[in-house]
Structure formats: C-alpha cells, structure tokens
Amino acid sequence: MAAAFADLHTDAGLSTLEEYLSNKTFISGNEISKDDVKVYAAVPKKPSGGFPNVSRWYDSIASVLAGRFPGEAVGVRIGGPAAAAAAPAASGATPKEEDDDDLDLFGDETEEEKKAAEVRETAKASSKKKESGKSSVLMDVKPWDDETDMKKLEEAVRSIEMPGLFWGASKLVPVGYGIKKLQIMMTIVDDLVSVDDLVEERLTVEPCNEYVQSCDIVAFNKI
C-alpha cells in the first residue's frame, strides 16, 4: 500500500506522520535514506511537544544533515506556484526529475485511497462544525416551605432530560426557619440548552412546581 504525506506544515499533516513513525525510526528501512530527506524538507520546523515521534525523528535527521552540511544557514524564501513552475528550468531538472521529489514514497496513491482520504476530511470538517462550547452552571432550587420533601424535589429536578444537559453533584443548604434549598451543578452544551428555557419551561412547571418554588443561577462559567 502506498504511503503518502501531505500538508506537513499543518497539525493534520503532522498527525499522519506522527502515527506513521509510532513504530519506526526512519521513513524507510532501518537507516536514514532519501525518503527521510524528502519528508524532512517538507516539515518547516521541529514540531511542538504534541508530536513526540516526529520530534524524535526530526532531531535524528537534523543531526545527520548538520554533519554533512556544516555551512551556516542564512535563510531562503520559497515562492508560490509560479516559482515552483520555474524551478525545473532554473535548476536544469526535467519534469520527470521533479516528479521524483514528490512525497508519495511507495507508489502512486490509488483512486480508492484518494476517495477514502476525502471522506475522512469531510467527516472531520463536519465534526468541527458540530462542535459547540460547554458551560458549567451552579443553580439554587428553592422549595415552597419547610414541609417540602427535598428528596422528591431533587428527583423531580434530575428527572428532566434533554440533549446537551448533564446533571452533576448536589447538596442541601440551610436558608433559615428550617428551610433548605437544593444547590446542584449541571453541565450544558450551549447550542442545545438554554438555561432560561430550562427554568421557565421545565423546572417551574408541572410536575416540578409541586416541589419547586423558584430557581436562581449562582454561577455560570464557560468550559
């Protein structure tokens, strides 16, 4: 199966290389080869700590190249498509020689592999669009009086289920005259749950209003 790398200047491209190097020291075989040099040239700089396998491999190749090319670097600029098109003429290389420098290391990518890659990218893009922020909410739920069954009050509150709502820890807090309030945590997906609607349409209407007099938001923090 062909092994190809693309967009090595992005985290997505580096993630592919990170996985590939998980059980390898070099790109091809057990020693440095031209394949390593090709891939090394496509990685702009040593990756961050989020890519330990790539970083290890990058240091290994850099140390070998530094010994072979001890001259001090002054920096180069790589142009866009126009400069790339002019490169063969400037260097004397033929189009075939330029093709040999592609990062398709073990043969051309098949149509099936291209389609599979497109499907993965589409799925990733769709997943990112669906991602939504979350918030942590601390809420006080107050009973009608000191005779309200607080156990049933909490059961009524936790019985409310909706997409993006997750109930957390709770405790009873004295407020005076023998009355206690329920203080409860919840995590919500912002795009799916409106706290105002939760209170007005679920917590203070039947069947919860048999036990719940009112609700107050104590803290609201983005996660």
Side-chain angles (χ1 to χ4, degrees):
M1 177 180 286
F5 305 106
D7 300 324
L8 293 176
H9 60 287
T10 68
D11 286 350
L14 289 174
S15 294
T16 301
L17 183 57
E18 173 71 13
E19 182 177 356
Y20 180 82
L21 291 170
S22 62
N23 59 352
K24 295 178 175 63
T25 302
F26 300 103
I27 300 297
S28 306
N30 298 319
E31 59 184 9
I32 188 171
S33 68
K34 291 181 179 180
D35 291 337
D36 295 281
V37 176
K38 291 179 184 178
V39 180
Y40 178 86
V43 179
K45 61 180 180 180
K46 180 179 177 179
S48 63
F51 304 93
N53 294 326
V54 179
S55 295
R56 168 186 52 74
W57 167 84
Y58 189 95
D59 285 339
S60 177
I61 305 307
S63 63
V64 173
L65 294 180
R68 294 187 179 184
F69 305 97
E72 182 178 356
V74 295
V76 295
R77 176 175 295 177
I78 306 300
S91 63
T94 65
K96 179 63 176 69
E97 289 172 336
E98 289 299 317
D99 290 342
D100 289 342
D101 288 335
D102 290 343
L103 291 179
D104 191 350
L105 302 181
F106 303 103
D108 293 333
E109 189 175 19
T110 66
E111 287 299 320
E112 291 78 7
E113 289 168 338
K114 289 181 180 178
K115 290 180 180 179
E118 290 174 358
V119 170
R120 288 194 298 271
E121 291 302 319
T122 301
K124 288 180 181 178
S126 176
S127 176
K128 288 181 179 179
K129 289 181 181 178
K130 293 180 180 179
E131 286 181 358
S132 175
K134 294 182 180 181
S135 297
S136 175
V137 183
L138 179 62
M139 181 170 61
D140 281 347
V141 183
K142 299 176 182 177
W144 286 104
D145 51 41
D146 60 339
E147 296 183 356
T148 300
D149 189 327
M150 296 303 293
K151 182 178 180 180
K152 290 185 177 180
L153 180 147
E154 181 171 356
E155 289 176 351
V157 171
R158 291 186 181 276
S159 70
I160 297 176
E161 297 180 354
M162 54 196 305
L165 171 63
F166 309 94
W167 295 109
S170 65
K171 65 178 179 179
L172 296 179
V173 180
V175 294
Y177 302 102
I179 299 175
K180 295 181 179 180
K181 63 182 178 182
L182 174 70
Q183 196 166 79
I184 188 168
M185 291 288 302
M186 61 180 171
T187 300
I188 62 171
V189 177
D190 296 333
D191 286 352
L192 299 178
V193 179
S194 165
V195 175
D196 291 339
D197 291 346
L198 174 64
V199 172
E200 295 173 6
E201 299 178 10
R202 304 295 291 272
L203 285 168
T204 53
V205 299
E206 294 183 350
C208 288
N209 65 350
E210 180 181 351
Y211 308 101
V212 178
Q213 181 207 41
S214 62
C215 301
D216 294 318
I217 303 303
V218 179
F220 193 114
N221 298 302
K222 295 289 185 181
I223 299 177

